[in-house]
Amino acid sequence: MNPQELVDYTKSLDCIHCGLCLRTCPTYQLTGAESSSPRGRIYLMRAVAEGELAATAPEYREELDFCLACRHCESVCPAGVRFGELIESARSGVEKVQRRGFLARTARRIGFGTVLRSRAWLSLTATSMRLAQRTGAARLLGKFGRPLVEMSPVPPKSERAPLPATTPAVGTRRGEVAMLEGCAMRELFGRVNRATVEVLTGIGFETKVPQGHVCCGALHAHNGDLEGARELARTTIEHFETTGAAPVVVNSAGCGAHMKAYAHLLKDDAAWRERAKAFAARVQDFSEFVAAEMPPDFSGKLGDELGILAYDDPCHLCHGQQIRAQPRTVLERCGATRVELPDSEACCGSAGIYSMLRPDDSKAVFAKKAAAFRNCGAQALVTANPGCHMQWEAGLAREGVKARVLHVAEVLAAALRKARAR
Ligand code: SF4
Ligand code: SF4
């Protein structure tokens, strides 16, 4: 195989080696090693493309796996290097030439090929996880059960019910939106999905949820399965085309960033290129949509009802979508008491399934975030991404910090409820 097909060589040439990204990179902060930095990884990718390093080298895959794909390096890069796209193509390349161990291969095949493509399998997986947590069986699984032991309880089936196909606007109808129900969101954060619908309909938008849709493919793309990601992108576009041209509201930062990039993902597919572009233009993060559409006369009086809040920027919202002000605007409009979390754009270590694949690295990255939260005077943490949500819940519990973790939609839903009750 031509080594230049294993990485995005052209994009890797954008790097001017300035090193400005090094201090923001969580893995470089952990090791101080150039090879664990964005610049170092780009060197490795180029070396593969230029035939100086074998793509089969174990140290090459190790550095690609070690990366959190947080894209913090993109935000500070003066040359506009698109590291997110580079790491996705490099991981896809390495999967073509390196064979993982039997267990990893099987887990990937089942996870990406079966579970994340079927609602029935997702539901069964969530039920099994809940059972393993409640019976203590997760503890018997040793290191394989550790993520289950440490994560928050998987909700009961009653909280994992599907959202209605259509929920009418409350009061005067101002328009309609389509909403991504999500794979993990429905199984683990049904309450956030319901709060999202409550807000959208509460501010006058009929909310449509395409039935039968399962997964947008973000986890596939981030983990080297670009073909799987393309298949799921086509399915996602088809499902949402049934909702006309309405904005597609997404309450999961990782999914939103990925869906906005469908045009890039399907750029070489002549049959889907234009459909992908049209679809991507409809996608909006929850805060992005709500900050623009909240009724101008709404003024929440939440105060510290949910505790003093601190907002942590999910990487795929701030670095992936350049959305920083909107969630803060929404929280301001709620009238919530809030403090800034220092270094809130630093990765929390969740990074999709990274926290399960590399729990020790993930915890080491989280340690700084826990210290920042402890020192900032907040009593509750607000996020906008399910992976970060789980990471914060598990991490704060592990550190002995008693604090709630909430999605922006949950805060706004509470503020709207309070305003209605006045
Ligand atoms: S994506 Fe994050 S972890 Fe990976 S190289 Fe960039 S800053 Fe480092
Ligand atoms: S900041 Fe950008 S150009 Fe500079 S070393 Fe990092 S990736 Fe390369």
Side-chain angles (χ1 to χ4, degrees):
M1 182 171 260
N2 179 355
Q4 292 207 0
E5 289 172 15
L6 300 176
V7 298
D8 192 332
Y9 184 55
T10 309
K11 277 206 180 74
S12 75
L13 298 175
D14 290 340
C15 175
I16 54 171
H17 321 302
C18 65
L20 287 174
C21 53
L22 268 63
R23 67 185 168 78
T24 64
C25 174
T27 55
Y28 180 75
Q29 287 170 7
L30 287 180
T31 64
E34 172 75 18
S35 59
S36 304
S37 75
R39 183 175 63 184
R41 291 188 173 105
I42 293 170
Y43 273 135
L44 293 175
M45 291 173 200
R46 274 195 205 173
V48 165
E50 290 166 1
E52 288 169 13
L53 174 70
T56 49
E59 62 271 27
Y60 176 56
R61 191 177 74 194
E62 167 57 17
E63 288 303 350
L64 298 185
D65 284 353
F66 189 23
C67 172
L68 292 125
C70 66
R71 299 170 64 178
H72 202 159
C73 43
E74 279 188 29
S75 286
V76 297
C77 177
V81 170
R82 299 179 72 88
F83 193 86
E85 291 170 11
L86 277 173
I87 191 78
E88 284 183 3
S89 66
R91 283 178 172 169
S92 168
V94 96
E95 291 304 324
K96 289 177 187 146
V97 295
Q98 289 204 34
R99 202 170 148 85
R100 291 182 185 269
F102 174 75
L103 278 180
R105 279 202 320 274
T106 307
R108 286 174 68 90
R109 202 169 48 240
I110 294 173
F112 296 142
T114 304
V115 177
L116 286 170
R117 288 164 184 265
S118 151
R119 183 57 67 190
W121 274 105
L122 273 165
S123 177
L124 183 65
T125 304
T127 301
S128 310
M129 287 163 65
R130 181 172 160 81
L131 201 64
Q133 283 180 325
R134 289 174 67 85
T135 59
R139 290 186 185 281
L140 304 176
L141 295 170
K143 71 172 185 176
F144 298 110
R146 209 165 75 181
L148 266 182
V149 172
E150 293 180 353
M151 73 186 275
S152 300
V154 174
K157 200 162 173 52
S158 57
E159 288 192 26
R160 294 187 258 126
L163 292 172
T166 302
T167 308
V170 175
T172 309
R173 184 183 186 279
R174 297 170 59 208
E176 70 177 44
V177 294
M179 178 189 153
L180 178 80
E181 188 172 37
C183 53
M185 282 303 290
R186 172 162 144 191
E187 304 304 327
L188 300 174
F189 292 103
R191 68 170 202 270
V192 173
N193 273 353
R194 288 189 291 279
T196 304
V197 174
E198 184 181 344
V199 168
L200 293 171
T201 55
I203 62 171
F205 289 86
E206 180 174 289
T207 302
K208 297 198 160 157
V209 176
Q211 302 295 289
H213 178 256
V214 180
C215 174
C216 70
L219 287 174
H220 299 71
H222 298 160
N223 290 282
D225 180 9
L226 281 179
E227 264 324 301
R230 288 188 186 103
E231 281 172 34
L232 289 168
R234 294 183 194 104
T235 311
T236 302
I237 293 167
E238 269 176 347
H239 273 91
F240 279 89
E241 282 176 345
T242 64
T243 60
V248 176
V249 176
V250 183
N251 60 11
S252 158
C255 304
H258 178 66
M259 290 158 73
K260 285 181 178 181
Y262 273 2
H264 169 74
L265 186 68
L266 296 173
K267 67 182 186 315
D268 298 324
D269 185 336
W272 284 84
R273 194 182 302 134
E274 290 308 314
R275 286 170 79 175
K277 209 184 283 178
F279 170 79
R282 294 170 57 196
V283 178
Q284 293 191 45
D285 176 70
F286 171 80
S287 294
E288 184 180 16
F289 180 80
V290 166
E293 297 292 348
M294 219 169 348
D297 57 349
F298 172 70
S299 170
K301 300 274 187 287
L302 204 53
D304 59 3
E305 197 165 288
L306 299 173
I308 300 170
L309 309 181
Y311 173 70
D312 186 45
D313 293 84
C315 295
H316 285 241
L317 203 52
C318 63
H319 308 307
Q321 300 181 55
Q322 287 73 51
I323 291 177
R324 296 172 168 90
Q326 296 91 326
R328 291 173 171 81
T329 301
V330 171
L331 297 175
E332 296 301 323
R333 297 283 307 276
C334 291
T337 310
R338 185 174 71 84
V339 291
E340 276 297 331
L341 181 73
D343 212 7
S344 67
E345 293 194 14
C347 182
C348 68
S350 162
I353 55 173
Y354 187 96
S355 56
M356 285 187 265
L357 299 175
R358 302 181 72 105
D360 295 336
D361 293 330
S362 169
K363 283 174 190 160
V365 172
F366 183 75
K368 275 189 177 179
K369 304 290 286 188
F373 182 81
R374 224 188 258 111
N375 296 330
C376 77
Q379 297 162 323
L381 188 284
V382 182
T383 183
N385 187 57
C388 310
H389 206 135
M390 288 194 283
Q391 177 82 341
W392 275 99
E393 282 182 340
L396 291 177
R398 195 173 56 242
E399 302 270 340
V401 181
K402 282 196 167 50
R404 290 176 75 179
V405 181
L406 299 157
H407 189 283
V408 179
E410 293 181 284
V411 179
L412 182 48
L416 286 170
R417 252 175 259 141
K418 187 169 182 180
R420 276 198 299 270
R422 281 206 302 263

